[in-house]
Amino acid sequence: MCGIVGYAGTGPAIPVLLRALKDLEYRGYDSAGIAVLDPASTGIHITKRQGKISNLESALHGTASEATTGIGHTRWATHGKPSDQNAHPHLSCNGEVVVIHNGIVENYAGLRAGLIAAGHRFESETDTETIAHLMEDRLKAGDTLLEALRQTALRLEGSQAIVAMAASEPGTMVAARVGNAGGVVIGYGAGEMMLASDLAAVLPLTQDIAFLADQQLARVDRAGADFIDAAGNPVEVVRRKVPIDPVSALKGEHQHFMLKEIMEQPEALSDTIWSLGTLAPAELYFDDLGRALDRLAEVERVVLIGMGTSLHAAMLGQRYIEAFARIPAETDNASEFRYRDPVLGPGTLVISVSQSGETVDVLEAMAVAKAKGALQVTICNTEGAQTTRVADGTVYTRAGLERGVASTKCFTASVVALYLLALKLGLARGTIAPGELQERMQEVARVPEAVARVLRQAPVYRRMANRFATTQHLLFLGRGLAFPAAMEGALKMKEISYIHAEGYAAGEMKHGPIALIDANFPTIAIATRHALRSKIVSNIEQVQARGGEVTAVVTEGDDEIARLADATIAVPEVSALLEPVVASIPLQLLSYYVAVQRGCDVDQPRNLAKTVTVE
Ligand code: AGP
């Protein structure tokens, strides 16, 4: 969850670290800090502050530092409340070693007790500080900095990404990756090097990068990097050039990344669709499916996994696979799947959905699937992310970097990618005739423009947000394919506006939730043409009969529901299976405008982080 950065060069380290921390702030924003070491090694200097990077920046204002090496961290608290003291970096008690960390040291309590008994003094409540003290002991025993980190990492339980510096080795940083707590990417500049938890933080310096694999360590100075494995043996790590444009990370004309990303959906959808197929002739490519490509015809069953918004995309993927490939498909929350000893075999295809490709529960669920011999494909928006390195094949969505914590364009891009993958599976299994592909491709080709039409109505949703800005509760109802869209609508609303929102299968209403309905509990019902419309009409009437107010999302021209509902949101007609994509757009906009009206921090909502790398 935390963001990590390191720099070794010839110029001042502090501006580079601050810039990179701002790129990483979405990962965690309860505190931030940096540690720098100057070439003459007058010791390690740490500055850290509770709150956002701007607090750290103010604290550093006017600091004239000669330091050319440094590390920085932005925190999402796991052990110990957000405070200056608990902010990273953490120093050993002799002031010789400084550490930043992403992950959880699961055995930290025992280690901490042992270190205190041996005379170490702790300044914070964090699990991370144990690492600094353990490394201090190894350095005192004569280890190099890299060996001290390796020996220390062997004593830690759990998944970690660790970066450290020592006063005894100026100009050097060391890093270790154990498990799936977060990646470490190393960037090669000209006479300067960076490392970070995210590619985005390194890209402004260089596109020449290497990723640390699980159980690998690196020693980095301004001239380059050397790598070892957990046993201490030298290893080769492949360097590569990545084609990502850092400019897409800017907010542009928009007040928030979330709004920018909502508005980018027509392009994100087009880019995703046309990177995977063509209309004339109707063909599907899937260039990154690797060894999974030739095995699609053998698939007997599909299990889709994901978390949060990606889980909702997976739920839609399940319906697409059932529709096109006519094989059993089920969806599971990755955090449940990983612990339930799932029944999988060589005939099972596991499809993981993760825009970041770094979500720990997804990675651990994939490890379970791998151990059981399942074929795996991942849907991912991040080039080279961890999920793409575990899966047998990848379907990249081409949504561009998504910075807002609330996922929008990655959701809809994942849904169309799953739609196309389901078609591919249907073709491989012979349940889709090549002639039908043309028709299906035409249907998906219409979606970006339909989405653009909804977006042109944004001012309508800004005004409609007044209806909901003061409510305490909101119910989202949907049936069939509209059910995952209702779940997603509720998740968007709750995560950024802090309104209690529930997404329900409308058929469940009479089994409990209807008891909640009164004049203060409004409902948003997705009642588009193919979403079991007549059934949802009954649900709307039942809610209204209890004094509840209903806003219905309808297909343009549906006057009957427009007359019935208290308010309507009209969306363009698209094919039945793709309705949820179009119906989700006004719900994203509503959530956004409600959150803005309530004065919420839209891009960095409380208690959340963009990439969830801890359990
Ligand atoms: C989305 O709005 C959420 N912030 C969150 O549910 C997110 O979708 C989830 O953490 C999964 O992330 P991933 O796609 O990067 O795996």
Side-chain angles (χ1 to χ4, degrees):
M1 293 303 253
C2 305
I4 282 179
V5 62
Y7 174 78
T10 46
I14 289 177
V16 180
L17 295 172
L18 278 175
R19 189 273 305 149
L21 284 177
K22 284 179 195 161
D23 286 337
L24 295 172
E25 192 172 22
Y26 74 102
R27 291 183 70 114
Y29 37 83
D30 63 43
S31 50
I34 61 166
V36 291
L37 189 55
D38 66 38
S41 191
T42 57
I44 292 165
H45 300 280
I46 295 180
T47 310
K48 50 192 192 174
R49 288 292 180 275
Q50 184 183 341
K52 296 200 171 191
I53 309 289
S54 49
N55 293 1
L56 176 67
E57 206 168 16
S58 307
L60 285 163
H61 187 69
T63 308
S65 166
E66 296 297 310
T68 53
T69 313
I71 59 179
H73 188 269
T74 178
R75 179 171 185 247
W76 186 87
T78 59
H79 294 70
K81 61 185 181 308
S83 68
D84 287 359
Q85 266 176 338
N86 287 335
H88 299 213
H90 291 287
L91 201 58
S92 65
C93 40
N94 68 356
E96 284 290 307
V97 191
V98 67
V99 172
I100 54 177
H101 169 227
N102 189 4
I104 294 175
V105 181
E106 290 175 1
N107 56 333
Y108 91 101
L111 291 171
R112 182 179 171 111
L115 286 159
I116 290 172
H120 286 272
R121 293 179 322 278
F122 278 72
E123 299 286 334
S124 77
E125 302 160 285
T126 63
D127 53 339
T128 304
E129 197 182 337
T130 53
I131 303 171
H133 297 289
L134 288 170
M135 288 185 69
E136 176 187 307
D137 285 351
R138 296 301 317 182
L139 287 173
K140 279 185 190 154
D143 284 351
T144 62
L145 181 59
L146 184 59
E147 181 61 8
L149 178 58
R150 188 181 78 82
Q151 291 289 348
T152 298
L154 291 174
R155 297 188 59 190
L156 309 178
E157 290 172 15
S159 291
Q160 337 281 340
I162 306 165
V163 174
M165 296 190 304
S168 54
E169 293 189 35
T172 304
M173 309 176 279
V174 290
R177 189 188 141 197
V178 183
N180 293 319
V184 178
V185 55
I186 291 162
Y188 294 76
E192 54 186 349
M193 296 283 290
M194 274 190 85
L195 54 79
S197 46
D198 292 40
L199 190 56
V202 170
L203 283 174
L205 180 85
T206 178
Q207 289 170 272
D208 182 2
I209 56 108
F211 290 103
L212 268 195
D214 184 14
Q215 308 294 334
Q216 285 184 342
L217 297 92
R219 179 189 175 281
V220 180
D221 61 25
R222 68 184 182 85
D226 301 309
F227 302 92
I228 58 170
D229 62 19
N233 303 310
V235 282
E236 287 292 319
V237 170
V238 182
R239 273 169 73 169
R240 57 191 175 119
K241 293 251 195 268
V242 285
I244 293 182
D245 174 10
V247 176
S248 73
L250 300 176
K251 275 186 218 160
E253 71 205 87
H254 301 290
Q255 195 189 343
H256 296 102
F257 280 117
M258 183 181 175
L259 183 59
K260 171 178 176 276
E261 289 156 5
I262 289 173
M263 294 297 176
E264 284 171 346
Q265 286 178 105
E267 199 184 343
L269 289 166
S270 290
D271 289 352
T272 301
I273 295 164
W274 306 127
S275 70
L276 298 173
T278 52
L279 195 53
E283 272 174 15
L284 290 169
Y285 302 131
F286 291 97
D287 290 341
D288 299 299
L289 270 187
R291 56 184 177 266
L293 189 60
D294 297 332
R295 293 179 55 195
L296 292 181
E298 304 155 21
V299 172
E300 292 161 4
R301 175 179 162 238
V302 180
V303 181
L304 296 102
I305 54 173
M307 298 299 293
T309 289
S310 290
L311 177 64
H312 301 150
M315 289 167 75
L316 290 166
Q318 173 191 335
R319 310 291 179 102
Y320 297 157
I321 287 161
E322 286 172 348
F324 295 143
R326 302 306 297 155
I327 43 175
E330 61 194 88
T331 309
D332 205 352
N333 175 301
S335 66
E336 293 297 317
F337 176 91
R338 62 180 280 199
Y339 289 118
R340 75 169 160 93
D341 192 15
V343 181
L344 305 172
T348 312
L349 169 65
V350 172
I351 301 179
S352 50
V353 185
S354 176
Q355 68 76 24
S356 64
E358 305 287 340
T359 299
V360 68
D361 282 313
V362 174
L363 288 163
E364 295 300 336
M366 290 177 76
V368 169
K370 191 168 195 163
K372 289 178 184 275
L375 181 66
Q376 295 204 62
V377 169
T378 195
I379 311 286
C380 187
N381 194 54
T382 311
E383 192 87 25
Q386 296 198 61
T387 52
T388 69
R389 287 177 267 147
V390 177
D392 299 290
T394 299
V395 179
Y396 280 111
T397 49
R398 301 294 173 186
L401 205 56
E402 187 178 71
R403 306 296 298 269
V405 164
S407 185
T408 52
K409 61 178 180 172
C410 286
F411 170 66
T412 49
S414 296
V415 174
V416 295
L418 283 160
Y419 179 92
L420 296 174
L421 180 61
L423 281 172
K424 183 79 181 169
L425 207 52
L427 285 173
R429 291 181 45 79
T431 47
I432 288 277
E436 190 185 339
L437 182 65
Q438 176 84 49
E439 194 186 328
R440 299 296 181 184
M441 292 299 285
Q442 274 165 348
E443 287 170 357
V444 75
R446 284 196 279 272
V447 171
E449 176 50 27
V451 167
R453 279 181 55 197
V454 179
L455 293 172
R456 289 197 280 273
Q457 297 297 310
V460 173
Y461 303 114
R462 191 170 57 223
R463 288 191 293 277
M464 190 178 270
N466 294 332
R467 290 176 93 91
F468 303 107
T470 55
T471 192
Q472 300 292 313
H473 312 279
L474 245 177
L475 186 63
F476 288 76
L477 291 182
R479 283 179 181 260
L481 288 151
F483 169 46
M487 301 269 291
E488 176 57 12
L491 177 62
K492 279 302 76 89
M493 187 62 81
K494 74 181 95 173
E495 73 179 321
I496 58 166
S497 71
Y498 318 143
I499 290 173
H500 166 227
E502 299 282 354
Y504 256 96
E508 275 284 342
M509 272 299 278
K510 286 192 284 296
H511 301 277
I514 201 162
L516 294 167
I517 297 299
D518 63 17
N520 300 316
F521 205 129
T523 296
I524 295 181
I526 304 176
T528 42
R529 184 140 298 150
H530 303 283
L532 294 167
R533 184 184 164 286
S534 62
K535 302 280 176 195
I536 198 116
V537 166
S538 315
N539 295 118
I540 293 172
E541 287 167 336
Q542 288 154 11
V543 169
Q544 289 177 322
R546 273 99 195 149
E549 188 181 284
V550 179
T551 299
V553 181
V554 301
T555 303
E556 282 171 356
D558 191 337
D559 298 332
E560 186 196 338
I561 296 190
R563 279 193 297 275
L564 178 68
D566 301 281
T568 46
I569 291 169
V571 295
E573 180 158 16
V574 291
S575 70
L577 293 178
L578 292 162
E579 272 186 353
V581 175
V582 179
S584 294
I585 310 300
L587 304 186
Q588 295 171 350
L589 285 166
L590 260 188
S591 301
Y592 172 76
Y593 289 120
V594 168
V596 170
Q597 286 199 23
R598 288 167 68 93
C600 298
D601 189 344
V602 173
D603 284 333
Q604 295 180 340
R606 69 187 182 201
N607 307 337
L608 292 175
K610 181 68 179 166
T611 308
V612 182
T613 56
V614 291
E615 264 191 288

